[in-house]
Amino acid sequence: MSDAERRLSELGITLPEPVAPVANYVPWVRSGNQVFISGQISMGPDGLVKGRLGADMDIEAGQAAAKLCAINLIAQFKSACGGDLSRVVRVVKLGGFVCAAPDFTDIPKVINGCSDLMVAAFGDAGRHARSAVSCPVLPLGAAVEIDAVIEVRS
């Protein structure tokens, strides 16, 4: 068991099977030592978390949705690493998208739900560059979608 998996287990997190794409794309692409992970939506064991921040969702609910995205991203990391999360050298960048009301400005706080889990799972290697933007709607009505770039060992 990798350090990241041990840390996730200590947090009570079990990784799901990676979510299959819902359109014409692949879940991840490796180029050299970088892996580009397609956007993962706020899908959890109880289904898709839908909503609009600042309208029918508060920051805490948005952070929980972003944490679900993080869990799905890490499941894709594991797939991209042949089942071995110890091959993750670094989480390089996250791109966060939040379905939000026009006057909702706490987008970075929402995406912290993902960022915090990356650091909890991967330690300093989980610290990353990031963007966080709002949009009026996300695929399938999801509240949050996040993509990632990671560096991996061969």
Side-chain angles (χ1 to χ4, degrees):
M1 179 183 288
S2 71
D3 287 344
E5 287 177 289
R6 180 185 47 74
R7 290 177 185 134
L8 290 168
S9 179
E10 289 169 358
L11 293 169
I13 296 171
T14 302
L15 293 178
E17 289 297 315
V19 177
V22 297
N24 187 17
Y25 62 91
V26 294
W28 53 268
V29 172
R30 182 171 176 165
S31 180
N33 286 341
Q34 289 191 324
V35 179
F36 298 81
I37 310 293
S38 295
Q40 300 296 301
I41 58 176
S42 47
M43 177 74 74
D46 297 325
L48 180 63
V49 176
K50 297 180 178 185
R52 177 165 285 126
L53 276 290
D56 57 4
M57 290 184 80
D58 62 17
I59 291 173
E60 292 76 21
Q63 289 171 331
K67 183 177 179 181
L68 291 173
C69 294
I71 293 166
N72 291 322
L73 283 167
I74 296 169
Q76 295 291 355
F77 294 0
K78 187 172 180 178
S79 174
C81 290
D84 183 5
L85 282 176
S86 68
R87 290 180 52 205
V88 175
V89 173
R90 176 164 201 114
V91 179
V92 176
K93 184 171 189 302
L94 298 178
F97 303 88
V98 176
C99 180
D103 61 345
F104 184 79
T105 60
D106 286 325
I107 291 95
K109 288 181 183 177
V110 171
I111 301 302
N112 280 347
C114 181
S115 294
D116 292 348
L117 185 58
M118 292 300 169
V119 174
F122 295 100
D124 281 341
R127 297 191 186 283
H128 50 270
R130 184 179 90 176
S131 58
V133 298
S134 70
C135 52
V137 67
L138 285 169
L140 307 176
V144 180
E145 179 176 358
I146 303 173
D147 61 22
V149 178
I150 61 172
E151 180 184 355
V152 297
R153 270 187 261 295
S154 296

